[in-house]
Amino acid sequence: MELRQLQYFITLCNELHFSEAAYKLGISQPTLSQQIRVLEDAVGVPLFDRIGKKTVKTEAGVILERYALEIFQKLENAKSAISDLTELHAGHLRVAVLGSDLDYRLTPLLVDFHKEFPHTRVQVISSIEIAEMVLDNEVDLGVGLSLKPDSRLQRIPFYTESYSLYVDDGHALADREYVEAQDLVGIPFVMYPKGFYGRQLLDSWCTEQEISIQTIMETGSATSLLQLVKEGVGATIQPSRLIDSFQSLRIRAIPITNSPIRELAIIHRNDKYMGRAAQAFMKRLEQSFHPSV
C-alpha cells in the first residue's frame, strides 16, 4: 500500500466518480481504476461498489477513508513540526471567524501578529459554518460562538459578553441607563438575517423572555446595521463591546437587563498540530479581548 494509492483513493472518495477523480488527479481513468484495484487487492476486500454509473463506498471503503485521512493529517503535522524547527515561522495560517462584529476586533491583532511572524501568510475567512470548516481541514482554527461538545474538536472559551440595545442619539430611549426586555417590544429593528448565529441567539432569547420584536430591515454587515441606526431607520441589538469600534457614529449602546449572553471560543481539531504561529495567534486573540492579560 503506497501513499500515492491512498491519495488516489481519498480523491475518489470525495468525487465518487472515476472520470472526475482522474481529472482532478491529472491521470487517466484506466490508471486510476488500476491503482484502486491494486489497493483493493492489498486490503483483500472491495472498497467501492460500481452500480451502473454510480460509485459508492463499501463499508470497508468508509473505514479505510477514515484511517487514510488520519495518516495524511499526521504527515501534515510532521511537516508543520519540522517547519517550526527552522524558526522562520513560514507557512500558512487559515482562520475561520464569524463575520460582522468580530471583523473589527481582529485588525489590531493581525497587525501585531504580522510583526512577530512576517513570513506567515494569514487567511481570515468569514463564515457561519466554522465547525464544519475546521473538521474538513479547510481552516486551522475557528473563532466563533462556543459550540456543543464534539470529541473531534478542542474548544477553548476565551470571552463572554452581554448584548446592548443600540439607538441613535435622538431615540426615545437614548437617555436610559438600561432597558428591560419588555422595553424592546414595538421598536422597529434592523437585524442580521435569520441563519446568522447572532440572530439565532437573539431569537432564542426573545422566546425565553416571551417577547417578539419587529424587524423592518435585515443585513449581514455590522457596519450597515449601525449606519442604519445612526440614520434613525431602526434600533439594533448587538454585543456590548461593539460600540468601541463605532464611537464616531454618535449612537448609544444601552445595557439590557438579563441580556443575551454569548461565549466566544477558539476551536481546532484534536488531531491537528498547532505550531508556534497558531499558538501565538490564539494567545494574542485572548489578549485582545482581555487587554490586562
Side-chain angles (χ1 to χ4, degrees), residues 219-292:
T219 173
S221 163
T223 299
S224 60
L225 286 175
L226 294 179
Q227 287 285 353
L228 290 168
V229 171
K230 176 191 175 186
E231 297 300 326
V233 175
T236 192
I237 302 173
Q238 297 293 330
S240 299
R241 191 174 164 188
L242 184 58
I243 191 63
D244 296 344
S245 301
F246 292 93
Q247 293 286 0
S248 62
L249 294 184
R250 294 191 303 175
I251 58 180
R252 286 216 52 211
I254 307 168
I256 302 172
T257 302
N258 297 320
S259 81
I261 298 292
R262 74 172 181 178
E263 183 181 50
L264 297 176
I266 304 167
I267 62 172
H268 63 82
R269 288 180 60 115
N270 281 325
D271 61 356
K272 190 171 185 65
Y273 175 79
M274 290 290 106
R276 296 183 186 180
Q279 292 179 35
F281 188 92
M282 290 189 286
K283 183 176 181 180
R284 286 187 177 277
L285 183 63
E286 294 185 62
Q287 290 174 337
S288 70
F289 280 77
H290 299 280
S292 61

Side-chain angles (χ1 to χ4, degrees), residues 191-205:
M191 303 289 286
Y192 293 127
K194 289 186 181 296
F196 279 61
Y197 283 149
R199 178 64 182 272
Q200 292 174 1
L201 178 66
L202 291 174
D203 286 347
S204 297
W205 178 79

Side-chain angles (χ1 to χ4, degrees), residues 54-73:
K54 292 184 64 176
T55 300
V56 296
K57 288 175 283 189
T58 64
E59 186 175 353
V62 172
I63 293 172
L64 182 60
E65 180 186 23
R66 184 173 74 250
Y67 283 101
L69 288 172
E70 289 181 7
I71 289 170
F72 282 103
Q73 181 62 62

Side-chain angles (χ1 to χ4, degrees), residues 150-161:
D150 187 313
S151 61
R152 298 167 294 176
L153 295 174
Q154 177 70 33
R155 183 176 63 91
I156 308 169
F158 68 93
Y159 190 71
T160 301
E161 66 182 343

Side-chain angles (χ1 to χ4, degrees), residues 175-211:
D175 294 329
R176 294 279 291 270
E177 294 297 322
Y178 63 90
V179 292
E180 307 278 353
Q182 289 298 325
D183 295 324
L184 308 178
V185 177
I187 297 176
F189 278 97
V190 293
M191 303 289 286
Y192 293 127
K194 289 186 181 296
F196 279 61
Y197 283 149
R199 178 64 182 272
Q200 292 174 1
L201 178 66
L202 291 174
D203 286 347
S204 297
W205 178 79
C206 286
T207 300
E208 292 170 2
Q209 298 296 317
E210 299 181 342
I211 65 169

Side-chain angles (χ1 to χ4, degrees), residues 39-46:
L39 189 57
E40 289 177 326
D41 289 342
V43 297
V45 291

